Amino acid sequence: MTLNTPLLIDGEWRAGRHAQRATVRDPATGEALGELGLADERDMELALAAARRGFEVWRKTSAYDRAKVLGRAADLLRERTDTIAALITREQGKPLAEARLEAASAGDHVDWYAEEGRRAYGRLIPPRQRGARQVVLREPVGPVAAFSPWNFPVGQLVRKIAGALAAGCSIIAKGPEETPSSCIELCRAFRDAGVPDGVLNLLFGVPAEVSSFLIRSDVIRKVSFTGSVPVGRALGALAAQHLKRCTLELGGHAPFIVCDDADVDAAVALGVGLKYRNAGQVCASPTRFFVQSGVYDAFVDAFSNRAARLVTGSGAAADTQMGPLAHARRVDAMASFVEDAQSAGASVRTGGGRLDGKGGFFYPPTVLADVPDHARVMRDEPFGPIATMLRFDTLDEVLARANALPYGLAAFAFTRSISTATRLADDLECGMVSINHFGLAAPETPFGGVKDSGYGSEGGSEGLDAYLQPKFVSQIGL
Ligand code: NAD
């Protein structure tokens, strides 16, 4: 029934009044799970008025008291992990074990921001005049409009909500229409923990209508978007036109560099795990596997064999290692990438065809070898279960090729040489580098990209800074 009252506005769960509704589907079967009511302009006006009032209440609540409320929300999220995980799997498709990790880590993100919000220190500047005090305060920037995608319905949304609330901002979040139920339960935990009316508002709608309406509003002072590069570019331009601060976490096309001196077994195990997690629908997913000539054949054989053995099926089944894609258009996108790469001369080492007879939005774990640079999958983000294998000889060459794309989110590398690791960390053009292990996306570490992958960070102290504005106060006694 929550799909009928999915909007949280001014503390009330409400039906959307838009004439249009969105069908929510189980990606493992393609069957409709229900119809989602969407927000129209009247609903958005109410949300804006609520966020304006909510901000006045929340910014005057001490960081100490805000942290107590957020801490309770974190506890509730941990208690509700299994319920929330089941909703993620049902609507988004990932295996239950992955959904549990996503749901369980939500509490950690909230705890981190709650604590960090209590340390939003300003600073004291030595004055030029005796008796003067010159202080930099850090104030919440104001009501936030946040747009989060379907690939991690809880993981993406929780960072925006927790960051904004810890800083003292109110927020209007537009959740993903494909995967609403776990977002609704996430917001319910914040409400149950005592977040006041109007401080957290949740909308679903026609995405372009909602973003255009909210970003133009005088109420909104900050925009945060996670999604594709073209949409991010459009929302960033609109935010700039209205002089709104903006954080953009967009796509990636991550290089995964395996050098001749690497631990190849470890690189294969981590590479396959990362590549096919969430069926490759991860912005930081490795997509271009650059393997040095001395270990290329061994790596590609072992990687392909391991990928071929992954069990694909419904995320709810206990033995499933890779679930369906989130919607039908991702399956079409995968088929088109593979056909294009084959016609450009790439060979398919495993996977590569639609999975017939399963129902739902399935595409198998796929490995393409010897992919020429002009194939489309080498330029456009695959955002699905396709790994491309590419041979290289020298460090200069691999750095040039890894940096050749306009993307710059994550990069991975395997080497036993400290000097190679340092050179890669220094010269890869990206926001995050992880060497010989997976070390990204913890609450306490910044997550974000450069170039077309966007700007700003979520996570770490940088994630809180995104919602804070410095105010300089200079005073002297008369
Ligand atoms: P899409 O570009 O249609 O949508 C991407 C996301 O943006 C969705 O959540 C969608 O609801 C939202 N969106 C679309 N138009 C919008 C608008 N005008 N205003 C506000 N939000 C809007 O693509 P898709 O088919 O849903 O997803 C595939 C692509 O999206 C991938 O190629 C990938 O690059 C990107 N994506 C990235 C992330 C990420 O974590 N960075 C997450 C999901 C999707």
Side-chain angles (χ1 to χ4, degrees), residues 147-151 156 174 176-178 207-209 211 225-231 235 249-251 282-283 327 329-330 381-383 409:
F147 305 88
S148 67
W150 44 261
N151 59 340
Q156 303 273 22
K174 189 200 79 64
E177 289 71 27
E178 294 91 343
E209 286 179 15
S211 53
F225 171 77
T226 302
S228 61
V229 175
V231 176
L235 299 197
E249 204 274 274
L250 309 178
V282 181
C283 50
H327 42 63
R329 58 185 187 276
R330 296 302 323 141
E381 179 184 23
F383 216 67
L409 190 61

Side-chain angles (χ1 to χ4, degrees), residues 86 292 396 420 429 440 470:
Q292 206 159 9
D396 285 341
T420 303
E429 293 172 5
L440 312 181

Side-chain angles (χ1 to χ4, degrees), residues 196-465:
D197 294 352
V199 173
L200 167 60
N201 305 277
L202 177 67
L203 300 179
F204 297 95
V206 177
E209 286 179 15
V210 181
S211 53
S212 151
F213 196 85
L214 295 185
I215 295 172
R216 283 170 208 274
S217 163
D218 287 346
V219 173
I220 297 301
R221 299 310 318 154
K222 158 91 193 179
V223 177
S224 177
F225 171 77
T226 302
S228 61
V229 175
V231 176
R233 207 183 285 285
L235 299 197
L238 189 60
Q241 193 186 336
H242 293 270
L243 300 176
K244 307 287 168 76
R245 282 176 54 177
C246 192
T247 297
L248 297 174
E249 204 274 274
L250 309 178
H253 209 322
F256 187 106
I257 297 168
V258 184
C259 298
D260 278 344
D261 66 355
D263 178 338
V264 172
D265 292 343
V268 167
L270 188 77
V272 170
L274 284 182
K275 173 67 258 180
Y276 301 107
R277 181 170 75 111
N278 202 10
Q281 302 164 115
V282 181
C283 50
S285 175
T287 44
R288 295 178 292 153
F289 289 80
F290 291 101
V291 187
Q292 206 159 9
S293 291
V295 291
Y296 180 85
D297 291 331
F299 181 87
V300 174
D301 285 348
F303 189 103
S304 306
N305 290 337
R306 202 175 174 112
R309 288 200 305 272
L310 291 175
V311 178
T312 302
S314 161
D319 62 340
T320 292
Q321 292 170 298
M322 194 184 90
L325 302 191
H327 42 63
R329 58 185 187 276
R330 296 302 323 141
V331 181
D332 296 340
M334 293 311 109
S336 152
F337 276 129
V338 172
E339 277 160 30
D340 174 81
Q342 279 181 296
S343 64
S347 61
V348 176
R349 297 296 293 262
T350 187
R354 287 172 194 265
L355 285 177
D356 292 327
K358 269 195 185 284
F361 311 136
F362 288 96
Y363 199 85
T366 295
V367 178
L368 300 176
D370 305 312
V371 189
D373 282 349
H374 62 273
R376 196 159 52 78
V377 71
M378 296 305 299
R379 295 190 312 273
D380 297 352
E381 179 184 23
F383 216 67
I386 300 178
T388 60
M389 297 291 153
L390 311 148
R391 192 189 292 267
F392 77 93
D393 288 309
T394 69
L395 217 48
D396 285 341
E397 174 205 343
V398 77
L399 276 164
R401 290 169 71 190
N403 290 338
L405 295 188
Y407 296 101
L409 190 61
F412 304 89
F414 268 80
T415 174
R416 286 192 172 94
S417 154
I418 288 279
S419 57
T420 303
T422 307
R423 170 91 198 277
L424 290 170
D426 285 350
D427 290 351
L428 282 164
E429 293 172 5
C430 59
M432 299 171 285
V433 184
S434 198
I435 298 179
N436 292 328
H437 79 144
F438 178 70
L440 312 181
E444 60 275 14
T445 60
F447 190 101
V450 299
K451 305 201 289 189
D452 280 6
S453 294
Y455 42 76
S457 293
E458 298 194 296
S461 53
E462 293 84 354
L464 190 75
D465 290 346

